[in-house]
Amino acid sequence: MKSRMFKLIASIGAFALIGVVLLTTASAATSLKTGLKVFVIPKNLGNAYFTTSDSGKSAGALKAVLELKGIGKETSGTQATAASQIPAIQAAITKGANVLLVSATDATALCPTLKQAMAKKIAVVTYDSDAPSCRNLFINQANSKAIGTSEVDLLAKQLGSSGEIAIVSAAASATNQNAWIGYMKTQLKKYPKMKLDAVVYGNDDPTVSTQVTQGLIQQYPNLKGIISPTTVGIAAAAAVLDTAQYRGKIKLTGLGTPNSLRKYVNDGTIEAFELWNPADLGYLAAYAGVNVASGTLSGKAGQTFTAGRLGKFKVGAKSTVLLGPPFVFNKANIGKFHF
């Protein structure tokens, strides 16, 4: 009899405990604020990479805002410059933004405006490119060291670890580009027969990126490889190299989207390149931004939060959240991806 009584009490206690856990979980799930005004401000509009990262159709940032019952809008300038981006940030502040999701064109130039936003208790989350001293949280697409070292390793494999190479970057002020290039230069020390001739900047503009790539070929006749850690730059460089004269003779890798580079992979202009899913990056940034604005996330290392379909994430050092490792696209797998 006593044994049955103890079992009954234990069962009641267990159900009570489960009830408390479920209630706590439900409370946590519903603690995010709704109706928040979320402004997504990429480096520039009309850039296929940011269209994918931000759009609701691609399940990017605006999709997440919709899931979180917020009001989302993508806005920026048409040029990937601080002068073009700052007015969009200022306008968002004036319109009563609760959350700013910003891919910083120039951290130094943007910081005064972003600090104004933070002073007004607007949550500022950077994604893709950081502004470390003037945001609550940074959503990093991949570990900077992993991107820089892996791109050098990819090119080294294609070149047999020997030959002159160059880098076609975006803007000289872009924090993400500079971090990756720094790790590239360090990794190149492991390949003494590979020589970095130059780093040039296309400013995430197709025309400028084309021109600087053409300039590299003319200036360095023994050039054997190019790394372009920017989706605009690599597509422009691929178009330049997609001729019988250069195809396969000057290797090209970097960061690009499958849709923009599929042709060049299939015809042999590019063997392999890297990226992550930009839509996941924007989606994660939106969840992070709403959590910050709701007071459930401060950016302290060790904090965790759930980002919808992507699952659980932990805040790391310097208030940074890592999306995941870069993925290598090649002829064998590129047909499976459509973004």
Side-chain angles (χ1 to χ4, degrees):
M1 181 71 178
K2 289 183 178 179
S3 175
R4 289 182 180 178
M5 182 64 70
F6 282 128
K7 288 182 179 180
L8 178 60
I9 292 172
S11 297
I12 293 172
F15 280 118
L17 178 60
I18 291 171
V20 171
V21 171
L22 290 175
L23 182 61
T24 302
T25 303
S27 177
T30 58
S31 61
L32 297 182
K33 294 180 179 179
T34 59
L36 296 176
K37 294 181 180 180
V38 181
F39 286 80
V40 187
I41 307 175
K43 288 180 181 175
N44 60 315
L45 298 177
N47 183 323
Y49 170 84
F50 287 113
T51 298
T52 302
S53 71
D54 301 346
S55 174
K57 293 181 179 179
S58 61
L62 295 179
K63 170 67 173 176
V65 174
L66 186 63
E67 290 177 1
L68 293 165
K69 299 180 181 179
I71 302 166
K73 179 179 177 61
E74 183 195 40
T75 179
S76 193
T78 56
Q79 302 297 317
T81 63
S84 184
Q85 193 177 31
I86 288 173
I89 299 173
Q90 293 171 330
I93 295 172
T94 301
K95 292 176 181 178
N98 302 113
V99 180
L100 298 179
L101 307 181
V102 182
S103 179
T105 52
D106 184 329
T108 301
L110 263 58
C111 265
T113 306
L114 293 180
K115 285 180 178 178
Q116 289 174 15
M118 295 178 72
K120 294 177 180 292
K121 307 301 181 183
I122 299 172
V124 177
V125 172
T126 52
Y127 70 110
D128 177 72
S129 184
D130 196 14
S133 63
C134 46
R135 46 72 171 168
N136 300 104
L137 207 61
F138 171 48
I139 308 302
N140 194 358
Q141 52 268 58
N143 180 276
S144 293
K145 183 177 181 180
I147 293 173
T149 57
S150 62
E151 289 185 34
V152 170
D153 290 340
L154 262 181
L155 189 58
K157 184 177 180 180
Q158 296 172 29
L159 294 178
S161 303
S162 178
E164 296 180 26
I165 71 167
I167 297 171
V168 177
S169 183
S173 60
T175 53
N176 57 348
Q177 299 281 313
N178 292 333
W180 300 336
I181 292 170
Y183 284 114
M184 288 180 200
K185 290 178 178 178
T186 299
Q187 187 69 358
L188 278 169
K189 295 177 183 178
K190 297 183 179 181
Y191 301 99
K193 294 183 179 180
M194 288 176 65
K195 176 190 174 187
L196 178 60
D197 285 334
V199 178
V200 296
Y201 301 93
N203 297 327
D204 267 344
D205 180 285
T207 301
V208 178
S209 298
T210 297
Q211 292 170 345
V212 296
T213 302
Q214 292 170 333
L216 284 173
I217 294 172
Q218 294 171 2
Q219 187 173 355
Y220 302 100
N222 295 320
L223 191 68
K224 298 299 181 185
I226 295 174
I227 299 174
S228 186
T230 157
T231 57
V232 176
I234 193 173
V240 172
L241 299 179
D242 190 23
T243 66
Q245 183 179 1
Y246 302 122
R247 189 183 303 116
K249 297 172 185 176
I250 298 178
K251 303 293 185 179
L252 173 64
T253 192
L255 302 179
T257 61
N259 285 355
S260 67
L261 300 182
R262 196 182 320 278
K263 170 185 183 296
Y264 305 113
V265 171
N266 289 333
D267 71 13
T269 300
I270 297 175
E271 286 186 29
F273 67 95
E274 294 182 327
L275 198 65
W276 45 89
N277 188 336
D280 288 348
L281 180 66
Y283 183 92
L284 176 58
Y287 263 89
V290 170
N291 269 273
V292 172
S294 299
T296 57
L297 196 61
S298 68
K300 183 179 178 181
Q303 289 182 320
T304 61
F305 68 103
T306 300
R309 68 170 188 266
L310 300 180
K312 194 173 183 179
F313 289 83
K314 180 183 286 189
V315 179
K318 299 180 180 179
S319 299
T320 295
V321 177
L322 182 64
L323 175 62
F327 182 84
V328 177
F329 298 88
N330 54 37
K331 202 168 187 176
N333 63 30
I334 197 168
K336 300 176 183 178
F337 298 92
H338 302 280
F339 65 88

